[in-house]
Amino acid sequence: MIAVLDYGSQFCHLAARRIRALGAYAEIFPNTTTAAALKNKKVEGVILSGGPRSVYERDAPTVDKSIFSMGVPILGICYGHQLLAYVLGGSVVPSSREYGKETLTAVKKSRLMGGLGKKEQVWMSHGDSVVKLPHGFTLTGKTRGCKIAAYADEKKRIYGLQFHPEVQHTMHGMRILENFLSICGCKRSYTIKGLDKKLVAEIKAKVGNGAVIMGVSGGVDSLVASALIKMATQNIYCVFVDHGIIRKGEAEYVRKLYEALGFRHYYYADASQIFYTRLKGVTDPEEKRRIIGRTFIEVFEAKVKELKARHGEIKLLGQGTIYPDRIESAKASKAASVIKTHHNVGGLPAKMKLKLVEPLKDLYKDEVRELGMMIGLPKEALMRHPFPGPGLAVRIVGEITAERIGIVQEADFIFTDELKKSGQYDRIWQAFAALLPVKAVGVMGDSRSYGYIIALRAVTSVDGMTADWAKIPNDVLERAASRIVKNVRGVTRVVYDITQKPPATIEYE
Ligand code: XMP
C-alpha cells in the first residue's frame, strides 16, 4: 500500500486514485500520521501531497521525521516537495507564482523520471520555491520560473516534484507515478474483482434481520449502494426526497428505475413547496446549501418516523458515501481548506441514532461504476452524470424562483438530449445548463426582447477534482443553442463555458 499524506490539496485524492488505477492500493492519511502508524499499515511508499500553506509559516503542517528512516521511498509533491527540502536542511522562500502549464527541462537523469524526455509539459501551481537543496540531494529538473522543480536522493529514495504529476495536464504524470511504484517495489495487484461478494457478506453481518432506511437520489452512488444492500437484505426502505430543484422528469425516472430493479419498499416524499418557501429571496450560495441541507434532513427524519410507525423499528441507515466524500467531510487535515459545504455527507444528525451502512466508503467513483456493472445494474443508470445534492440551486446563480427552475430544467433537458443523440454524453464527465441572472437583448419576431443567458457547461474529468471543458462538435452546440432559444421562453442567449477546473469549478455556485 502507498500512503498519501494529506496537506490539504484538492489533488490529494487524485494522487491516490491514480495510484489505484495503476494497480497499487493507496489510502489517504492525515499529515500528522506517525511513522509507527504507517509501519503498522505495512506501507511500501509515502507520498506527501500538495497543500495551500507555506512551510515556513508558524503552525504549518509538517511531517514525522521518523518517516525518513522507515526505509521506504518518499515522494513529495508541491507543498510536499517544499516540506521535504525544508525539514531536511534546505530552504524555501516566497517566489513569483507559476500557475498552469510549464515546460520542465531535465537537468540530470533520475529513476523517478525514467522514460521521460529532456523537455516535458508539466502543471504547476505554487507561490513558494525551494532555493537550496539539503545535503545529498541532486537537482533533476527545472522550469523557466523555478530553478529547483525536481530533485532526488537516489540512495535514500527520496524525491521531490514542484509540479503535479497526478493532474492530466502533466503529460507523462502517470509514467512518473508508475516509476515511483517500481521504486517502491509494489506488486500492483489491486483490483475490485470479487469485491461485490465481500461487501454483501459484510453488509449481511452488520445488518442481520434489521431494517435499513436509505435516501436515494437516482445518482450512481446511492444506486450501487442500495443495490448491494438489497443483495444482502430485502428489508431496505428507499426514500426519494424531492426538493423540487431537480432535473426535468427525475422523480418519475428514479421511481421506474427502483421498481424495475425489484425494490419492494420505495417511497417518494414531495417536499418541493417547503424548499421553495425557505429558499425565497436567498442569494448567498452557502446559505442556499445550508437551507437545502437542513430541510432535507427534516423531511427525511419525518419520513423515517412515519415508516417506523408503519413497519416497526429501523436502526440502520444506508448511505452511498464514497471515499472522497468521507475524507473531505472529515477534513482529513487541519490544512484542508473548505471550498464548498457539501451537504450530503455526515449531514444526518447523530440524534437519529442510526447505525451507518456505507458499502462504498473506500471506493472512488469509477470503481463504483465498475462494481455496479459487476452486479448487473443498467449501464445507462451507471453512466449518468453526477448531479449535486443541492441540485439546480447551484446552477441558478442568485435567487431561485419557479420561473428560473423551469427555464434551467428545460434547457438542461435539451442539452442532454442533444448530447445523447450525438453520442457525446458518455464521453463527458458532467454536462448541464446553468442560468445567469442577467438579461441580454434578443430579437424575436420583429421586436426586441430581454431574456436570461443560459450557460452550457460540459467537462471531461476523471473524478471531478480537475476538469477540462469538453470539445463538443460545433454542430451539436449549435443545435442545442438554437433549440433552447426557440423552445425555452425567457432565454435570449446561450453561451458555452470554456474554463478549466482549476481555476473555475464545475458548478456555478
Ligand atoms: P465543483 O463545482 O466543486 O464540483 O467543481 C465538483 C463535483 O462536486 C459536485 N458538487 C456537489 N455535490 N453537493 C454535492 O453533493 C454540493 O454542494 C456540490 N457542489 C458541487 C459537482 O456536481 C461536481 O461533480
Side-chain angles (χ1 to χ4, degrees):
M1 186 223 283
I2 301 290
V4 180
L5 298 188
D6 179 8
Y7 287 90
S9 165
Q10 54 183 324
F11 304 133
C12 182
H13 275 293
L14 199 53
R17 178 65 205 105
R18 298 277 201 236
I19 299 287
R20 287 194 193 183
L22 290 168
Y25 186 65
E27 259 186 42
I28 313 268
F29 291 88
N31 58 52
T32 47
T33 308
T34 61
L38 294 176
K39 245 187 208 151
N40 271 342
K41 290 269 183 186
K42 298 199 172 54
V43 158
E44 297 168 282
V46 180
I47 294 179
L48 277 62
S49 85
R53 302 286 301 273
S54 288
V55 292
Y56 46 78
E57 276 171 12
R58 252 180 45 156
D59 305 328
T62 184
V63 60
D64 175 8
K65 287 198 183 117
S66 308
I67 286 178
F68 304 124
S69 40
M70 276 172 70
V72 299
I74 299 172
L75 169 62
I77 297 172
C78 196
Y79 182 87
H81 157 96
Q82 296 161 9
L83 185 63
L84 286 176
Y86 187 72
V87 298
L88 290 168
S91 41
V92 175
V93 297
S95 61
S96 56
R97 243 167 90 82
E98 266 188 313
Y99 185 81
K101 290 174 194 164
E102 295 289 338
T103 303
L104 179 83
T105 306
V107 174
K108 198 164 188 296
K109 280 203 173 116
S110 84
R111 279 185 76 189
L112 187 69
M113 312 296 263
L116 270 74
K118 176 97 181 130
K119 301 235 181 243
E120 286 287 339
Q121 178 187 302
V122 298
W123 197 87
M124 289 277 198
S125 174
H126 68 118
D128 288 343
S129 290
V130 177
V131 286
K132 185 177 142 252
L133 284 175
H135 181 70
F137 280 48
T138 310
L139 173 71
T140 57
K142 60 177 185 184
T143 64
R144 231 171 7 154
C146 180
K147 289 199 172 68
I148 303 180
Y151 59 71
D153 179 339
E154 299 281 6
K155 227 157 96 205
K156 294 204 177 103
R157 299 187 296 172
I158 299 177
Y159 303 87
L161 301 173
Q162 181 55 73
F163 59 89
H164 289 267
E166 70 278 26
V167 311
Q168 66 201 45
H169 311 298
T170 294
M171 210 50 93
H172 293 117
M174 283 301 257
R175 180 65 197 260
I176 297 174
L177 295 176
E178 220 174 339
N179 288 341
F180 183 65
L181 293 180
S182 305
I183 296 168
C184 295
C186 279
K187 269 210 206 87
R188 296 175 61 178
S189 53
Y190 171 69
T191 158
I192 66 159
K193 231 167 125 190
L195 186 63
D196 50 339
K197 290 188 186 70
K198 185 171 162 258
L199 291 175
V200 172
E202 277 173 18
I203 299 168
K204 267 190 185 146
K206 189 163 198 175
V207 169
N209 301 323
V212 185
I213 184 134
M214 175 148 185
V216 297
S217 66
V220 179
D221 304 340
S222 59
L223 173 65
V224 178
S226 58
L228 282 168
I229 297 172
K230 187 166 96 37
M231 285 163 78
T233 173
Q234 278 292 342
N235 223 356
I236 171 170
Y237 296 82
C238 297
V239 177
F240 178 90
V241 174
D242 183 353
H243 55 37
I245 356 175
I246 54 178
R247 295 182 184 112
K248 179 181 169 180
E250 185 70 3
E252 189 58 11
Y253 170 89
V254 183
R255 186 184 60 76
K256 282 192 179 143
L257 177 66
Y258 276 79
E259 251 174 41
L261 291 172
F263 280 82
R264 284 195 202 144
H265 313 285
Y266 177 83
Y267 299 91
Y268 169 73
D270 179 5
S272 44
Q273 280 317 318
I274 314 170
F275 281 89
Y276 293 164
T277 309
R278 293 192 183 169
L279 287 166
K280 200 167 160 33
V282 180
T283 53
D284 178 67
E286 285 298 286
E287 184 59 16
K288 283 186 191 174
R289 276 191 170 83
R290 274 192 292 273
I291 292 171
I292 295 168
R294 247 193 343 253
T295 312
F296 183 93
I297 290 165
E298 249 180 71
V299 175
F300 189 77
E301 273 184 315
K303 199 72 196 174
V304 175
K305 224 166 144 186
E306 186 192 316
L307 289 175
K308 276 184 179 171
R310 219 187 307 166
H311 300 284
E313 197 50 274
I314 299 174
K315 290 198 173 133
L316 297 140
L317 175 72
Q319 277 195 330
T321 317
I322 66 171
Y323 193 47
D325 300 333
R326 193 159 62 89
I327 299 296
E328 195 168 69
S329 9
K331 294 194 194 77
S333 66
K334 281 188 208 129
S337 52
V338 181
I339 297 178
K340 282 173 187 173
T341 316
H342 286 233
H343 87 270
N344 52 342
V345 180
L348 293 170
K351 73 175 164 53
M352 280 180 84
K353 293 205 181 83
L354 294 165
K355 202 159 105 188
L356 290 179
V357 185
E358 297 179 304
L360 311 177
K361 70 179 184 353
D362 294 323
L363 300 179
Y364 284 105
K365 190 81 160 196
D366 45 349
E367 295 175 315
V368 171
R369 285 195 164 120
E370 211 180 313
L371 187 63
M373 294 289 214
M374 271 160 54
I375 61 172
L377 294 173
K379 181 161 182 250
E380 179 273 329
L382 292 172
M383 293 314 292
R384 294 189 95 198
H385 293 173
F387 188 73
L392 303 176
V394 292
R395 297 177 179 174
I396 295 171
V397 179
E399 192 186 352
I400 299 162
T401 62
E403 184 206 14
R404 290 177 176 186
I405 294 172
I407 289 176
V408 160
Q409 280 180 333
E410 283 306 323
D412 188 71
F413 176 81
I414 293 172
F415 187 34
T416 306
D417 185 50
E418 288 298 337
L419 292 176
K420 285 189 173 161
K421 275 191 199 148
S422 58
Q424 295 290 317
Y425 187 85
D426 286 349
R427 287 186 42 232
I428 289 166
W429 162 264
Q430 211 168 354
F432 56 86
L435 182 139
L436 309 182
V438 280
K439 293 204 168 178
V441 72
V443 199
M444 303 235 179
D446 287 331
S447 58
R448 286 162 80 80
S449 63
Y450 282 91
Y452 288 116
I453 302 176
I454 284 289
L456 300 181
R457 178 100 167 118
V459 295
T460 53
S461 174
V462 180
D463 46 20
M465 285 169 213
T466 59
D468 195 6
W469 62 279
K471 315 294 184 288
I472 298 171
N474 286 348
D475 58 313
V476 180
L477 287 173
E478 189 176 311
R479 269 200 304 278
S482 52
R483 255 181 86 185
I484 290 170
V485 178
K486 208 154 123 196
N487 296 299
V488 188
R489 254 183 103 90
V491 176
T492 47
R493 221 165 263 241
V494 176
V495 297
Y496 187 51
D497 183 340
I498 57 164
T499 35
Q500 289 171 337
K501 173 185 178 175
T505 56
I506 296 175
E507 303 292 347
Y508 272 65
E509 284 194 336

